[in-house]
Amino acid sequence: MINDFRYSGNIFLWDTETSSLLKSWEVCELPVRSCKFIARRSQFICASDDMRLRLYNYNTMEKVKDMEAHADYIRFVEIHPTLPYILSSSDDMSIKLWNWEQNWDCTSSFEGHAHYVMMCKFNPKDTNTFASASLDRTIKVWGLGAQQPHFSLEGHDRGVNCLDYYPGGDKPYLISGADDKTVKIWDYQTKACIQTLDGHSNNVCSVLFHPQLPVLVSASEDGTVRIWHAMTYRAETTLNYGLERAWSISAAKESNGLAIGYDEGTILIKLGHDAPVASLDTHTGKVVWAHNNDIQSASLKGVTSDLADGEKLDLLIKDMGSCEIFPQTVQHNCNGRFLVVCGDGEYIIYTSQALRNKAFGQALDFAWSAVGTGDFAIRESLARIKIFKNFKEHRTIKAPISSSEGLFGGACVALKGPDCVVFFDWNEGAFLCKIDVAPKVVYWNETQELLLLVCDEQAFILKYDKDKVDAAIAEDSVSPELGVPGA
């Protein structure tokens, strides 16, 4: 569900699956600036320009609480992930802590900013601390047990509107956006700004680390939402839906969804795809998959065949460790002893049992051999392939096509072009044949005698004659133009 709040003073509850409006509330005649679900209580809390906090049950639509909270506009509300606490930040330059188990008493007030406090966020790795963003150009980090800030982060040239904590456990990072049109990434342990992202042409209103994908997202009054790579900080894409200023962004924790709030409406988009990144070792029945940067596994041994299609399996999940790159594909080799993880133009080969690093490198694509344990190929560029034997570089092949688009493994190396697929021998790198179709996927059967080329609208089954190929290579009769006729 999406909670959509407006300057009209209304709140709308939407079903994200059907895009249908479920319920609406007329809160007040002034703008509602912040609204948050308290899912464990089936409630939401909203803050408005009449300086009040209101609590509603979103099932019964009942107003549960209505209280005066600040001496000026309330900019933001933040829910503690486990404790009965809510933070509110205001133009009165204060942040207040409310406890719903103590009849919504204000148990602490945090003062130290010299201008409006635009946002506050709990640290997911240390929920006794939180950070605040202010138009006084600073970010302050606080502890729940002290009224004075632990420290300040200074570096923006104008007021800071928004911030977010990195959700993973491996980086002590904060992200912030400001009226100086920049996004900054901070290390809150060293208190240093480690990166500044330029590109927006107006105030940055909302920023976040996506909880599922390796991206940062920023929204601005210039009407755009920008997607940045979370590792390299490279600008990936810019979204502009023509709905005037972009004010807020929110990501679903368990999917690739992203909600964006504009002057003229709210939209929900999906980044990437929801297909699982996984591989099954058919020799042992072990399935390995990626969850963000973490690699997990489970054994399918003992699973009976009388289960209903789509039935959920109760498996013992093992955490294997974390991967240095964000996995986009995971694939076992031919005998299941090794596992390759590919992502962002890099590959890392691990042992499949203990996830120990065996080899790594840069590549556009990766493909395993169907025979050799340590044999694989990489597409190094649009015009060049490298074949590795027993994890050592063996041969380099210059592609006989103007531009390549993909690489497939199996009994042969298959290089996909814009309108064809070209096959090569693993041992000698010899050109075998060119077929004038562009498959999306290539499948080999268990005996490596048959292969299936799956195209957009058609599929082709071909027979591979290994004896003919071996004889042509042994006799040095492979034609550079024709390959091995009948291969």
Side-chain angles (χ1 to χ4, degrees):
M1 293 186 293
I2 289 180
N3 230 335
D4 173 17
F5 48 94
R6 301 290 177 90
Y7 268 39
S8 63
N10 296 331
I11 291 175
F12 301 94
L13 188 67
W14 299 87
D15 186 321
T16 57
E17 297 295 328
T18 63
S19 301
S20 58
L21 178 64
L22 299 177
K23 298 169 184 176
S24 64
W25 290 261
E26 293 183 6
V27 175
C28 63
E29 295 181 355
L30 296 172
V32 176
R33 293 188 182 266
S34 184
C35 187
K36 288 289 184 70
F37 284 112
I38 312 175
R40 56 190 185 270
R41 292 171 61 89
S42 299
Q43 295 172 342
F44 67 82
I45 189 168
C46 59
S48 50
D49 280 2
D50 61 3
M51 300 169 280
R52 303 185 74 83
L53 291 174
R54 293 176 175 86
L55 187 74
Y56 293 86
N57 183 304
Y58 54 73
N59 290 323
T60 65
M61 300 185 68
E62 171 194 5
K63 184 195 293 184
V64 179
K65 190 75 176 177
D66 185 337
M67 57 188 180
E68 187 171 343
H70 284 271
D72 208 333
Y73 297 163
I74 306 171
R75 294 284 180 169
F76 199 77
V77 289
E78 170 75 347
I79 315 300
H80 194 282
T82 56
L83 298 174
Y85 296 160
I86 288 175
L87 289 172
S88 59
S89 63
S90 168
D91 286 3
D92 65 11
M93 300 184 288
S94 74
I95 305 160
K96 292 186 177 182
L97 180 71
W98 309 85
N99 187 327
W100 68 64
E101 286 188 354
Q102 295 182 15
N103 196 30
W104 289 95
D105 282 350
C106 177
T107 57
S108 294
S109 183
F110 305 90
E111 298 182 0
H113 280 295
H115 210 310
Y116 303 162
V117 186
M118 304 298 287
M119 185 177 283
C120 50
K121 282 290 185 79
F122 282 110
N123 183 345
K125 291 185 280 293
D126 179 6
T127 55
N128 288 318
T129 63
F130 66 93
S132 57
S134 170
L135 294 191
D136 65 10
R137 306 181 184 182
T138 71
I139 300 156
K140 295 185 185 297
V141 175
W142 313 71
L144 291 179
Q147 268 65 55
Q148 298 302 313
H150 293 332
F151 57 87
S152 295
L153 302 174
E154 300 182 16
H156 281 292
D157 295 331
R158 297 188 66 185
V160 187
N161 294 313
C162 49
L163 57 82
D164 193 26
Y165 276 99
Y166 178 69
D170 55 330
K171 294 175 183 175
Y173 287 179
L174 264 172
I175 184 174
S176 61
D179 288 345
D180 60 10
K181 308 172 190 175
T182 68
V183 175
K184 289 183 181 290
I185 294 94
W186 308 81
D187 184 319
Y188 57 78
Q189 288 184 350
T190 64
K191 304 177 182 61
C193 175
I194 60 173
Q195 192 74 29
T196 298
L197 308 180
D198 295 297
H200 284 294
S201 60
N202 209 328
N203 304 339
V204 180
C205 304
S206 187
V207 291
L208 65 79
F209 287 100
H210 198 283
Q212 290 287 326
L213 303 172
V215 295
L216 319 172
V217 189
S218 58
S220 167
E221 289 185 48
D222 63 14
T224 68
V225 171
R226 289 180 174 261
I227 313 292
W228 317 80
H229 196 287
M231 308 295 181
T232 64
Y233 305 114
R234 180 180 65 239
E236 295 289 339
T237 190
T238 300
L239 308 174
N240 191 336
Y241 295 98
L243 296 173
E244 300 299 331
R245 295 170 296 183
W247 289 108
S248 62
I249 44 181
S250 182
K253 290 183 179 180
E254 299 300 328
S255 77
N256 296 353
L258 183 73
I260 309 169
Y262 291 92
D263 278 333
E264 301 296 329
T266 301
I267 66 166
L268 180 66
I269 62 173
K270 273 195 175 182
L271 302 174
H273 59 80
D274 286 330
V277 177
S279 177
L280 174 65
D281 177 11
T282 56
H283 299 85
T284 64
K286 180 180 176 182
V287 61
V288 175
W289 67 91
H291 179 71
N292 295 333
N293 284 74
D294 297 326
I295 306 298
Q296 298 176 313
S297 67
S299 175
L300 299 181
K301 278 188 174 179
V303 175
T304 59
S305 59
D306 57 353
L307 292 168
D309 190 23
E311 187 175 339
K312 189 174 181 179
L313 301 178
D314 186 16
L315 302 175
L316 183 63
I317 296 174
K318 175 186 175 184
D319 289 318
M320 299 183 66
S322 183
C323 183
E324 292 91 333
I325 59 177
F326 187 84
Q328 292 170 304
T329 62
V330 175
Q331 186 182 8
H332 284 92
N333 76 328
C334 60
N335 58 19
R337 289 175 55 193
F338 295 97
L339 183 79
V340 66
V341 177
C342 302
D344 296 319
E346 297 182 63
Y347 69 90
I348 303 176
I349 299 174
Y350 296 98
T351 57
S352 61
Q353 295 300 318
L355 211 67
R356 285 193 294 268
N357 194 318
K358 179 68 178 176
F360 62 91
Q362 294 185 325
L364 299 175
D365 283 303
F366 181 102
W368 285 113
S369 163
V371 182
T373 296
D375 298 358
F376 61 91
I378 63 169
R379 186 165 66 101
E380 191 176 55
S381 67
L382 295 179
R384 191 163 58 182
I385 309 167
K386 279 188 177 177
I387 294 177
F388 292 74
K389 301 284 285 184
N390 197 24
F391 302 106
K392 295 180 180 178
E393 189 174 329
H394 177 63
R395 290 192 181 277
T396 299
I397 303 173
K398 189 177 185 305
I401 52 179
S402 58
S403 177
S404 63
E405 296 181 355
L407 188 69
F408 307 106
C412 304
V413 184
L415 181 67
K416 177 186 174 183
D419 54 6
C420 65
V421 59
V422 185
F423 291 88
F424 302 92
D425 169 68
W426 278 103
N427 291 321
E428 303 299 325
F431 167 59
L432 302 182
C433 68
K434 174 185 174 185
I435 298 175
D436 293 325
V437 296
K440 295 167 61 179
V441 191
V442 175
Y443 296 107
W444 290 82
N445 73 338
E446 290 184 3
T447 61
Q448 309 301 315
E449 295 175 336
L450 299 175
L451 66 155
L452 175 68
L453 306 182
V454 181
C455 305
D456 283 327
E457 297 181 355
Q458 294 175 298
F460 302 89
I461 298 175
L462 306 178
K463 185 175 182 180
Y464 172 55
D465 194 333
K466 186 177 184 302
D467 293 338
K468 184 175 286 188
V469 169
D470 290 344
I473 292 174
E475 296 165 3
D476 197 21
S477 62
V478 178
S479 166
E481 291 81 22
L482 301 176
V484 180

